[in-house]
Amino acid sequence: MHYSIEVQIMASSSILQTMEAHKHTKGGMPRNADHLCVLIHGFWGDPSHMGHLAASLRERYSDDRLYILVAKRNAGNLTYDGIEVGGERVAHEIEETVDALADKGCHIRKLSVVGYSFGGLVARYSMGLLYARGWFDRLEPVDFTTFVSPQPHVGVQIPSNGVWSYIWNNVGPHEGSISGQQLFMADSFRNTGRPMLSILADPDSIFVQALKKFHNRSLYASVVNDRTTIFYTAALSTVDPFRNLENTRINYAEGYKPVMINPDAYFLPSEETELLSLGPRVQRQIMTFFTVILFWNLIAIFVVVVLPLFLLHSFNQASLSRKRVRQHNEEKSGTLFGQYRLPRIMVKEVQSVIEVAYEDIRLARTPDIPLLPAERNQQGDELPLARKSAPPSEKPLQQAKYQQMMRSKTETIPPSR
C-alpha cells in the first residue's frame, strides 16, 4: 500500500530555522518572529488542552523565532457546531492574528498547524479557506501535523458486526449535532449529496490542494485506549495489528519508549515463554473472572446512569448548536463570515464511483463487504516481517466501500518534501 502522507512517530522537525536577532517591539511583541504555529484542540476541548504542547514548543523555539497561536474560538460545546463553522472561526482567528502582528511590526511569512482529533478536521477546513482566499501566496505552508486525526478522515464508523457496532454506528450520528453527523458521514455538504469528510478527501477540493502545499505532513495514531479514532482510521490502514497485544514485544522508536512505536517495524520477534505452573494459571484465571465481572458491572452503571444523562446533555447541546449555526449563517450576509462562503465552483463537483459508494451509508451503518487485500509498501511488497513477527492479527478490516475509497484518495497527495 502506497502512503503518500507520512505516518510519523517523531515530531515534525522543521519548526523552524530562522531569526538570529532578539529584538522586540516596545510592547514586548517579538518583532523578528516570522513563523506562526497554530494549535487546535479537539471535540469538547478548550485551549488549555494544548498547553503542554505549546509549552514544549516554547522550550525549544524562542518567541523571536516562533509565534504560537492556540485557537480559542471553538472551545467546549462550540465544537458541536460542525467542521464548516469551526473552520471558518479558526480561519478568521488566524487572519486576525497575522494582521494584528503585522500592525505591531511582526510580519508572519510561514505557517504551521497542529490539530488534535476533531481539531485536525477543523484545521483541514480552515487551511482550505485560507488557500482559496490567497493566503498561501503570502504565507509559506511548512508543517501540517495531526494527532489521532488522519488526513483525510474516513469517519468513525466501526468496521465490524455486532451489537456494540450497531448501536455506535446508528446512535452516534445523532449525539453530536452537526459535528456528529459529519464524523459518521450522515450529512450532506451544502446540498451536494456528499458528506463533508468526502469533500475534505476529494483531490479536486481546495482542502486537498491546501494540504499538498505544506512541506511536511505528519500524522500520529493511538494504538490503545482510543475507542473513537482507532488506529486503522488514524493511520489510514487496512489492518489493525494492535487489537491483541498480549505476549507481544513492541518495537519502540529509539529514545521514545514507552510512548512512540517505530513506524517501520511495530513489533520485535517473539520470545519463547515458559509454561506457567498450575498455581499461577489458576490465579490468572481467577483474576480474569473478577475483571470481567467488574467490567460488566461498570457497563451496567454506565447504561443505567451515565448514558441517560449524556443523552440529555447531547440533545440540549444539539439544540443550542443549531441556534448558533443559524446565527452564524445569518452573519455570513454581513462582513464577518460572509467572506468565507466560497462559491460552489471552489469545490469541483466530480461525478465518480466514490459518490455511488456513499449510498452505502444511507442503506446500512454496519458494513458487510469483501475484505481488502493485504497491506503492501510502496514497491508492492508485503509489510516487513518485523511487523508480522508478533501474534496480533493483521487480517484486513471490513471497512465500508466509502472508507476504502477515501483511503485511496491519499495516493493523490505526494510525499512530504
Side-chain angles (χ1 to χ4, degrees):
M1 178 65 187
H2 166 55
Y3 289 105
S4 50
I5 298 176
E6 298 180 15
V7 182
Q8 297 190 9
I9 299 299
M10 304 292 288
S12 187
S13 62
S14 60
I15 307 181
L16 186 50
Q17 317 139 345
T18 54
M19 304 286 92
E20 296 179 356
H22 291 263
K23 299 178 182 178
H24 290 67
T25 63
K26 293 181 179 180
M29 181 66 64
R31 186 189 297 275
N32 288 337
D34 72 339
H35 194 160
L36 174 66
C37 181
V38 183
L39 309 182
I40 307 174
H41 61 73
F43 201 71
W44 294 324
D46 62 63
S48 67
H49 293 174
M50 307 301 285
H52 180 74
L53 178 57
S56 298
L57 286 171
R58 182 54 66 222
E59 286 180 5
R60 185 169 182 180
Y61 305 100
S62 61
D63 61 1
D64 66 310
R65 298 179 60 192
L66 183 71
Y67 187 89
I68 300 173
L69 169 65
V70 181
K72 302 176 178 63
R73 304 283 173 83
N74 286 311
N77 292 326
L78 296 181
T79 54
Y80 278 99
D81 298 348
I83 298 169
E84 182 176 11
V85 172
E88 290 174 351
R89 289 171 179 155
V90 170
H92 183 65
E93 189 171 357
I94 292 173
E95 291 186 7
E96 276 188 332
T97 300
V98 173
D99 289 340
L101 290 173
D103 291 340
K104 296 179 180 180
C106 180
H107 298 284
I108 298 298
R109 295 182 178 86
K110 299 171 184 178
L111 175 66
S112 292
V113 183
V114 179
Y116 169 70
S117 190
F118 186 74
L121 298 174
V122 172
R124 287 286 316 286
Y125 195 92
S126 62
M127 292 304 103
L129 295 180
L130 295 180
Y131 166 79
R133 286 170 49 76
W135 277 90
F136 282 14
D137 296 330
R138 298 171 51 185
L139 303 176
E140 177 187 355
V142 180
D143 288 303
F144 189 94
T145 304
T146 60
F147 293 86
V148 292
S149 179
Q151 316 156 31
H153 202 297
V154 296
V156 296
Q157 181 177 340
I158 298 178
S160 60
N161 296 315
V163 175
W164 166 246
S165 300
Y166 180 84
I167 294 174
W168 173 260
N169 294 336
N170 286 275
V171 175
H174 308 290
E175 297 310 312
S177 187
I178 298 173
S179 297
Q181 294 175 19
Q182 291 172 340
L183 290 173
F184 282 88
M185 302 188 74
D187 64 307
S188 175
F189 178 68
R190 297 187 185 173
N191 300 317
T192 60
R194 298 177 59 181
M196 163 67 78
L197 297 186
S198 78
I199 300 295
L200 290 178
D202 195 317
D204 294 298
S205 72
I206 57 174
F207 310 108
V208 172
Q209 296 305 313
L211 188 60
K212 289 180 179 180
K213 292 291 184 180
F214 284 88
H215 297 314
N216 305 290
R217 296 175 296 273
S218 308
L219 61 85
Y220 296 74
S222 296
V223 301
V224 293
N225 300 328
D226 194 324
R227 298 295 183 183
T228 54
T229 310
I230 306 172
F231 172 82
Y232 66 83
T233 181
L236 300 173
S237 175
T238 61
V239 297
D240 185 358
F242 301 101
R243 283 180 290 181
N244 181 12
L245 295 179
E246 187 175 359
N247 299 323
T248 61
R249 297 177 63 212
I250 300 296
N251 184 27
Y252 292 101
E254 185 176 355
Y256 287 87
K257 184 179 181 179
V259 178
M260 297 183 184
I261 298 174
N262 188 324
D264 298 318
Y266 300 154
F267 305 105
L268 297 172
S270 300
E271 293 181 336
E272 293 186 4
T273 56
E274 296 182 2
L275 183 65
L276 295 176
S277 60
L278 179 61
R281 290 207 308 272
V282 171
Q283 183 179 9
R284 175 177 292 184
Q285 291 176 352
I286 293 174
M287 290 296 296
T288 300
F289 173 78
F290 282 106
T291 300
V292 171
I293 293 293
L294 177 61
F295 171 78
W296 284 108
N297 282 332
L298 292 175
I299 289 295
I301 294 173
F302 174 81
V303 171
V304 174
V305 180
V306 179
L307 184 59
L309 294 176
F310 172 75
L311 293 177
L312 288 174
H313 174 77
S314 296
F315 287 133
N316 178 56
Q317 290 302 323
S319 176
L320 295 175
S321 175
R322 285 192 292 269
K323 293 179 181 178
R324 286 195 300 269
V325 172
R326 281 197 300 269
Q327 293 173 354
H328 180 89
N329 290 333
E330 290 172 358
E331 289 177 352
K332 288 179 184 290
S333 59
T335 58
L336 183 56
F337 291 104
Q339 57 191 329
Y340 301 109
R341 177 58 66 170
L342 301 174
R344 292 172 66 88
I345 195 174
M346 297 303 294
V347 179
K348 185 178 179 181
E349 296 182 36
V350 180
Q351 298 296 324
S352 63
V353 66
I354 194 171
E355 292 179 285
V356 177
Y358 297 140
E359 293 301 317
D360 292 349
I361 310 171
R362 276 75 175 176
L363 295 176
R365 303 306 306 175
T366 303
D368 184 14
I369 60 175
L371 296 177
L372 294 172
E375 195 168 23
R376 298 177 181 273
N377 63 15
Q378 188 171 350
Q379 288 72 39
D381 302 321
E382 288 193 10
L383 290 173
L385 291 177
R387 288 193 185 185
K388 298 179 179 293
S389 62
S393 170
E394 290 200 38
K395 183 178 179 181
L397 297 164
Q398 288 184 302
Q399 293 178 317
K401 292 179 182 178
Y402 73 89
Q403 291 177 313
Q404 298 178 32
M405 293 180 180
M406 287 176 66
R407 285 185 66 258
S408 70
K409 294 297 182 181
T410 63
E411 298 186 6
T412 68
I413 303 175
S416 298
R417 302 174 212 175

